[in-house]
């Protein structure tokens, strides 16, 4: 009876036990599910966060590779330091925004990399930073990569030629010494008959004429018999120069891309800087005017008249002024520690005064680059203490004293005047060109030309060293081309 009653009381306990087991399993299942979902979400977030970092890193690398390619291309195309750095600034600015890298769609999301560039400094080099922010499904991570761009002075063998010591004249094809005096060593590469012509009034004073051993003096030199006693010393020791390299240097010259203009400004009732950015000075309205350059500047027309004096301050770094038309009728004085480059696109005239560096500082810190096709006429007994580069125009200089390097690409380069003295290295590489000295013009320095003609009883070409500091094509010795890492290099990627 008791056993039967106990068994009846135990009925349903299996169900309770089963329900308890199911409850435990359910709780355990919910816990495991929650843990699994949390782990999945954490894994998903970690994946997106890691992906965002790699997207940011890839964006920085891709941006640097683009910048590197464009900077090296800019170095090849620009011949001056100022023009190169101006181009580099444009390149860096153009990278701001989205990266060009297509990351594709991942897990239904489209990763993106946002690029920003920031210039940190720039004197002899420019240091900048690339910032890249990667984003994947709302997760962001940012990295930075520092880069340095540096101008390396160009020297292809044509900018500052490597020439023998004490060379007054180096000619490719022809020398006509019809009058005047040559003092210093002369060199000629031609082996054609009568390539050297000596006239009645021409004189090689204590000079040695060097020529190729593939010819002889009787074939090379044409002179009247009665002038045998006036012949120069002769030597077959000659070092050939590749004139084509000089032409290549000139072809590289381009106008820099400068768009910033001068602000509108009045002095009294006279507009000095108008709404178009032109600068116009006259003696009566403003005889002393100072232009302080904070950056490279574009001035469509720069004119001074009546002896007005213009002072240009470059500050601490090199500056470039791009002008369409330059007309100087007074003194232009340059001051500051940086080199000033003036690039003239269309017309160039100096009617009075001159251009020089203030207070006897290094006046070789001025470079004038003329890109126009109209003949360059320089006259009126003025002085230019600057380097000059004329890309393609013919040049006529009358009574102008030029101190510096003069690289001229035209066919006819003519110098004349009354007792005018220039301390100049004149390089005229045009293979159809001729340099002429007439009247009583005196060059103390060196002339390198395809053809050379001198006439006039008192005209002289006399060797003298020329300071080439500041000329944009290197020193007097040839060097190898710079490596890409000499021009642009970068640091490691750092997470911000």
């Amino acid at each position: 009876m008791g056993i039967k009653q106990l068994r009846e009381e135990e009925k349903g306990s299996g169900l309770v036990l089963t329900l308890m087991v199911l409850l435990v399993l359910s709780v355990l299942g919910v816990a495991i599910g929650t843990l699994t979902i949390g782990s999945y979400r954490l894994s998903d977030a970690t994946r997106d966060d890691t992906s965002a970092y790699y997207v940011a890193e890839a964006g920085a690398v891709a941006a640097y590779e683009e910048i590197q390619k464009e900077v090296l291309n800019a170095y090849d195309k620009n011949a001056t330091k100022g023009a190169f750095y101006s181009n580099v600034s444009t390149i860096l600015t153009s990278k701001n925004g989205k990266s060009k890298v297509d990351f594709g769609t991942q897990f239904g999301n489209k990763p993106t990399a946002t690029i920003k560039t920031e210039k940190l400094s720039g004197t002899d080099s420019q240091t900048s930073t690339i910032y890249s922010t990667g984003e994947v499904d709302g997760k962001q991570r940012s990295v930075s990569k520092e880069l340095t761009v540096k101008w390396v002075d160009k020297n292809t063998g044509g900018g500052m030629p490597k020439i023998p010591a004490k060379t007054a004249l180096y000619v490719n094809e022809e020398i006509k010494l019809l009058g005047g005096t040559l003092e210093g060593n002369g060199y000629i590469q031609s082996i054609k008959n009568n390539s050297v012509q000596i006239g009645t009034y021409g004189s090689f004073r204590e000079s040695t004429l060097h020529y190729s051993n593939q010819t002889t003096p009787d074939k090379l030199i044409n002179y009247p018999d009665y002038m045998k006693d006036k012949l120069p010393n002769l030597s077959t020791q000659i070092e050939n120069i590749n004139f084509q390299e000089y032409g290549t240097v000139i072809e590289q010259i381009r106008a820099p891309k400068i768009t910033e203009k001068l602000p509108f400004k009045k002095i009294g009732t006279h507009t000095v800087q108008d709404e178009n950015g032109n600068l116009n000075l006259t003696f009566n309205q403003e005889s002393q005017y100072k232009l302080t350059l904070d950056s490279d500047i574009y001035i469509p027309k720069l004119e001074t008249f009546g002896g007005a004096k213009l002072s240009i301050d470059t500050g601490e770094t090199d500056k470039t002024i791009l002008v369409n038309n330059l007309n100087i009728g007074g003194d232009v004085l340059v001051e500051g520690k940086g080199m000033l480059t003036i690039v003239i696109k269309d017309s160039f005239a100096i009617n009075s005064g001159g251009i020089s560096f203030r207070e006897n500082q290094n006046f070789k810190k001025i470079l004038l680059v003329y890109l126009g096709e109209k003949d360059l006429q320089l006259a009126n007994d003025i002085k230019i203490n600057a380097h000059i580069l004329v890309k393609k125009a013919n040049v006529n200089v009358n009574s102008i004293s030029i101190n510096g390097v003069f690289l001229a690409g035209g066919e006819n380069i003519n110098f004349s005047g009354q007792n005018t003295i220039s301390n100049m290295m004149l390089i005229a590489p045009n293979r159809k060109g001729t340099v002429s000295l007439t009247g009583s013009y005196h060059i103390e320095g060196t002339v390198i030309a395809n053809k050379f003609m001198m006439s006039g009883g008192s005209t002289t070409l006399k060797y003298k060293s020329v300071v080439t500091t500041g000329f944009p094509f290197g020193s007097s010795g040839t060097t190898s081309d710079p490596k890409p890492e000499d021009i642009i290099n970068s640091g490691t990627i750092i997470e911000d």
Side-chain angles (χ1 to χ4, degrees):
M1 179 96 179
I3 296 172
K4 183 178 180 181
Q5 184 179 2
L6 180 62
R7 287 178 177 174
E8 288 179 354
E9 290 176 355
E10 289 178 350
K11 288 181 179 180
S13 61
L15 178 60
V16 173
L17 181 61
T18 301
L19 290 175
M20 290 180 64
V21 171
L22 289 175
L23 178 61
V24 170
L25 290 176
S26 297
V27 171
L28 184 61
V30 171
I32 293 173
T34 302
L35 182 62
T36 301
I37 293 172
S39 177
Y40 175 78
R41 289 176 177 174
L42 179 62
S43 175
D44 191 45
T46 302
R47 182 200 66 202
D48 289 345
D49 187 66
T50 303
S51 296
Y53 172 80
Y54 287 119
V55 166
E57 185 181 52
V61 171
Y64 175 74
E65 289 177 349
E66 290 178 21
I67 291 170
Q68 181 188 46
K69 182 179 179 180
E70 293 179 30
V71 165
L72 294 175
N73 187 49
Y75 180 80
D76 290 337
K77 290 184 177 181
N78 289 287
T80 64
K81 182 177 179 180
F84 171 68
Y85 279 148
S86 175
N87 203 167
V88 169
S89 295
T90 302
I91 292 170
L92 291 172
T93 303
S94 70
K95 303 307 170 189
N96 290 325
K98 298 291 183 180
S99 169
K100 293 184 179 179
V101 178
D102 184 1
F103 295 100
T105 301
Q106 301 180 30
F107 303 100
N109 299 310
K110 181 76 171 180
T112 61
T114 303
I115 302 299
K116 185 181 74 172
T117 61
E118 180 179 295
K119 181 179 175 182
L120 301 179
S121 64
T123 51
D124 292 334
S125 64
Q126 284 192 352
T127 301
S128 302
T129 301
I130 300 171
Y131 296 97
S132 176
T133 301
E135 181 173 353
V136 179
D137 194 21
K139 297 292 184 180
Q140 290 187 348
R141 289 180 71 174
S142 298
V143 300
S144 61
K145 185 178 182 68
E146 190 172 283
L147 65 91
T148 300
V149 177
K150 185 174 183 180
W151 170 260
V152 179
D153 286 338
K154 292 189 175 184
N155 187 0
T156 62
M160 287 285 92
K162 184 178 180 180
I163 56 177
K166 298 183 179 179
T167 297
L169 178 64
Y170 203 114
V171 169
N172 186 40
E173 291 188 14
E174 182 180 83
I175 298 174
K176 289 185 177 181
L177 190 60
L178 306 180
T181 302
L182 175 68
E183 295 186 41
N185 291 327
Y187 290 80
I188 183 167
Q189 295 186 169
S190 176
I191 59 173
K192 295 181 180 179
N193 293 345
N194 302 321
S195 293
V196 179
Q197 299 180 35
I198 304 176
T200 304
Y201 301 103
S203 173
F204 284 85
R205 183 178 300 169
E206 299 178 2
S207 297
T208 299
L209 179 63
H210 299 265
Y211 60 96
S212 172
N213 58 12
Q214 299 179 38
T215 187
T216 56
D218 60 308
K219 294 181 179 180
L220 186 71
I221 304 175
N222 183 349
Y223 61 95
D225 289 340
Y226 61 83
M227 293 189 64
K228 290 182 179 180
D229 294 338
K230 294 186 177 181
L231 289 180
N233 300 318
L234 300 170
S235 172
T236 58
Q237 297 178 359
I238 186 171
E239 299 179 31
N240 289 338
I241 290 180
N242 185 353
F243 276 74
Q244 184 60 38
E245 291 183 346
Y246 305 145
T248 301
V249 169
I250 291 180
E251 290 172 1
Q252 293 175 354
I253 306 301
R254 299 286 188 276
K257 295 180 180 179
I258 302 173
T259 58
E260 183 177 349
K261 295 183 180 180
L262 292 171
F264 180 84
K265 184 176 182 179
K266 280 189 175 183
I267 295 181
T269 60
H270 175 57
T271 301
V272 176
Q273 298 159 204
D274 65 17
E275 62 276 5
N276 295 317
N278 298 314
L279 179 60
N280 185 296
L281 303 175
T282 64
F283 181 80
N284 292 331
Q285 292 155 328
E286 180 55 33
S287 58
Q288 299 280 347
Y289 183 77
K290 184 171 182 177
L291 176 62
T292 300
L293 299 179
D294 297 321
S295 62
D296 295 340
I297 203 78
Y298 170 50
I299 304 176
K301 184 181 292 185
L302 196 165
E303 297 179 308
T304 66
F305 299 101
K309 293 183 178 180
L310 172 63
S311 176
I312 303 175
D313 189 349
T314 63
E316 298 292 322
T317 60
D318 296 346
K319 298 295 191 306
T320 297
I321 298 176
L322 174 65
V323 300
N324 294 337
N325 309 103
L326 178 65
N327 191 349
I328 300 298
D331 290 330
V332 176
L333 302 174
V334 180
E335 56 186 280
K337 295 183 179 180
M339 177 175 176
L340 175 66
T341 299
I342 303 178
V343 181
I344 307 109
K345 293 177 64 176
D346 298 325
S347 65
F348 178 24
I350 301 180
N351 302 305
S352 64
I355 299 178
S356 62
F357 214 78
R358 183 185 288 276
E359 297 174 356
N360 296 319
Q361 296 184 58
N362 186 1
F363 59 75
K364 305 306 181 186
K365 290 185 176 180
I366 306 171
L367 173 66
L368 306 176
V369 180
Y370 176 50
L371 305 178
E373 297 185 2
K374 185 179 179 180
D375 288 4
L376 177 60
Q377 307 280 350
L378 299 174
N380 294 339
D381 193 26
I382 62 177
K383 179 177 287 188
I384 301 176
N385 290 333
H387 302 307
I388 302 175
L389 194 155
V390 179
K391 183 171 183 177
K392 50 191 172 184
N394 294 326
V395 176
N396 294 297
V397 175
N398 191 323
S399 300
I400 299 289
S401 177
I402 300 172
N403 297 314
V405 179
F406 197 143
L407 177 57
E411 292 189 10
N412 298 305
I413 313 298
N414 305 310
F415 288 80
S416 62
Q418 299 297 318
N419 296 316
T420 305
I421 301 175
S422 290
N423 179 216
M424 173 174 56
M425 176 178 282
L426 173 60
I427 307 171
N430 193 310
R431 294 300 294 265
K432 298 180 181 179
T434 300
V435 171
S436 299
L437 265 62
T438 60
S440 58
Y441 199 94
H442 307 283
I443 293 181
E444 295 181 350
T446 299
V447 173
I448 301 171
N450 182 57
K451 295 181 180 180
F452 177 78
M453 190 273 288
M454 185 160 63
S455 62
S458 60
T459 304
T460 62
L461 170 57
K462 178 180 179 180
Y463 169 75
K464 187 176 180 179
S465 63
V466 177
V467 177
T468 62
T469 303
F471 194 69
F473 301 106
S475 62
S476 58
T478 57
T479 59
S480 59
D481 292 335
K483 298 177 182 179
E485 56 267 26
D486 294 333
I487 299 169
I488 178 171
N489 59 78
S490 68
T492 57
I493 291 178
I494 301 173
E495 184 169 14
D496 295 337

